[in-house]
Amino acid sequence: MTRDWLQRDTASHFAEYVSVVAERLGDRVKKWITLNEPAEHTLLGHALGAHAPGKTLLFDALPVAHHQLLAHGLAVRALRAAGATDIGIANSHGPTWPASQEPEDVEAANFYDLLLNRLFADPLLLGEYPSGLGELMPGDVESDLKVIAEPIDWYGVNYYAPTRVGAPQGAEIEFGGLTLPAELPFSVREIENVPVTDFGWPVVPEGLTELLTTFRDRYGDRLPPVVITENGCSYDGIDDQDRIAYLDGHVRALHGALEAGVDVRGYFVWSLLDNFEWAEGYERRFGLVHVDYETQERTPKASYGWFQGMLRAQR
């Protein structure tokens, strides 16, 4: 029988795996992330087919989201049983901007926000699915939500950009390397008049402030301390001034969220080294350190020195 996230028992198998890992490494590893980007694995891996396992189930992929969330809750319990006291999850989030204030664009943007943000945050932080989604999930959802909402010590946010969304346009859309089917109840539009990375992603630092303050207002005291578990950009070159500008803007945006009262405890650049990306392989370079993939030579980029200096200046 195939074991994947469409199968409910994958959640319990994952918890067993977590128990083994915690028993082996718990004396050295103090901070734990249960899952990284379950939204991407659900939406890009199972709904749109852009990531492994390459399924194109569209909304029939929703059980994948539920089973991953259930696996997270079971993993939290397994880690607590092993003595772990510093546990979080890393979810990808971003503001959703309607293409206009026309009702059909606002409705489409709200639906996209539900899929990207609330589908994965509401069950974890509120113990409930957004209205209408719980009925689409498999199993005893009410009981599962008690597991999914196991208290965590911090909430991880991977932030890259906002998304501008409008009503469906009745045709396939090429966006960010993806082909979005015509039958989706929304369409993703370009954010105009902003720089883009070599990946084609818009550079909008203020979106990080907006996202964090929105989460603070939406979840109130149910939102634990926040850690920015990923933030970064893809640019080629060793003298990567564009990456320096990107990071400078986002660190300042993070400071704005702190000043607005958001409890942020950490910030991680994605990534230290150029690396293998999900569907892009070695084509995109996110690292502060350049990696020659033929020789494995590591060369710190200009952004590495800038980030090092920025950190030292905070002391």
Side-chain angles (χ1 to χ4, degrees):
M1 180 179 179
T2 300
R3 298 294 183 187
D4 61 24
W5 288 108
L6 288 165
Q7 312 299 322
R8 179 183 177 86
D9 62 358
T10 299
S12 57
H13 289 310
F14 180 76
E16 293 170 6
Y17 165 75
V18 169
S19 294
V20 172
V21 173
E23 181 180 358
R24 182 70 179 85
L25 300 178
D27 60 332
R28 284 156 287 167
V29 176
K30 303 304 178 186
K31 297 181 182 292
W32 297 87
I33 294 176
T34 56
L35 291 173
N36 179 60
E37 295 190 343
E40 270 67 14
H41 194 51
T42 303
L43 302 176
L44 299 183
H46 289 79
L48 298 176
H51 288 178
K55 297 182 183 292
T56 54
L57 301 175
L58 295 182
F59 293 105
D60 288 336
L62 285 175
V64 173
H66 184 72
H67 294 151
Q68 286 184 94
L69 289 167
L70 178 60
H72 156 81
L74 292 171
V76 172
R77 290 184 174 182
L79 288 167
R80 297 284 187 218
T85 59
D86 201 350
I87 306 168
I89 187 172
N91 274 331
S92 54
H93 292 301
T96 305
W97 296 348
S100 77
Q101 291 306 306
E102 294 296 322
E104 57 269 27
D105 286 340
V106 173
E107 181 181 1
N110 287 340
F111 184 76
Y112 184 91
D113 181 68
L114 181 149
L115 283 180
L116 179 67
N117 294 317
R118 296 186 57 203
L119 171 60
F120 294 92
D122 282 20
L124 291 164
L125 301 178
L126 302 179
E128 61 188 29
Y129 279 109
S131 178
L133 281 185
E135 294 84 354
L136 303 177
M137 297 302 179
D140 186 345
V141 175
E142 184 176 354
S143 295
D144 288 348
L145 283 167
K146 293 181 173 63
V147 180
I148 291 168
E150 279 288 324
I152 51 179
D153 303 297
W154 48 270
Y155 189 85
V157 171
N158 296 354
Y159 171 78
Y160 289 94
T163 309
R164 186 168 178 259
V165 176
Q169 296 180 315
E172 288 187 349
I173 296 175
E174 297 293 330
F175 182 81
L178 298 175
T179 300
L180 302 181
E183 57 264 41
L184 290 176
F186 56 81
S187 61
V188 177
R189 314 286 180 84
E190 180 183 354
I191 298 177
E192 299 172 343
N193 302 316
V194 300
V196 296
T197 69
D198 286 352
F199 214 155
W201 294 352
V203 179
V204 188
E206 60 269 24
L208 179 56
T209 312
E210 178 185 342
L211 173 67
L212 294 176
T213 54
T214 296
F215 265 52
R216 186 268 320 275
D217 296 342
R218 180 178 289 171
Y219 297 110
D221 60 7
R222 303 294 292 273
L223 179 67
V226 173
V227 175
I228 307 304
T229 37
E230 283 186 28
N231 176 237
C233 50
S234 171
Y235 289 109
D236 285 337
I238 304 296
D239 185 19
D240 53 343
Q241 297 301 313
D242 287 334
R243 181 174 284 104
I244 291 174
Y246 178 102
L247 294 174
D248 181 77
H250 284 79
V251 169
R252 293 178 188 277
L254 182 63
H255 183 68
L258 285 164
E259 289 188 320
V262 182
D263 185 0
V264 181
R265 302 290 179 89
Y267 172 85
F268 292 86
V269 175
W270 186 262
S271 60
L272 175 63
L273 301 172
D274 290 335
N275 66 310
F276 185 91
E277 289 291 323
W278 286 33
E280 299 294 321
Y282 294 110
E283 292 183 17
R284 306 298 179 182
R285 292 185 176 271
F286 280 84
L288 298 175
V289 176
H290 178 274
V291 178
D292 185 315
Y293 295 124
E294 295 296 324
T295 67
Q296 294 299 301
E297 181 180 359
R298 271 71 162 162
T299 305
K301 302 176 186 178
S303 58
Y304 180 97
W306 176 88
F307 196 72
Q308 184 183 59
M310 184 273 294
L311 293 176
R312 285 175 172 166
Q314 308 310 309
R315 294 177 179 174

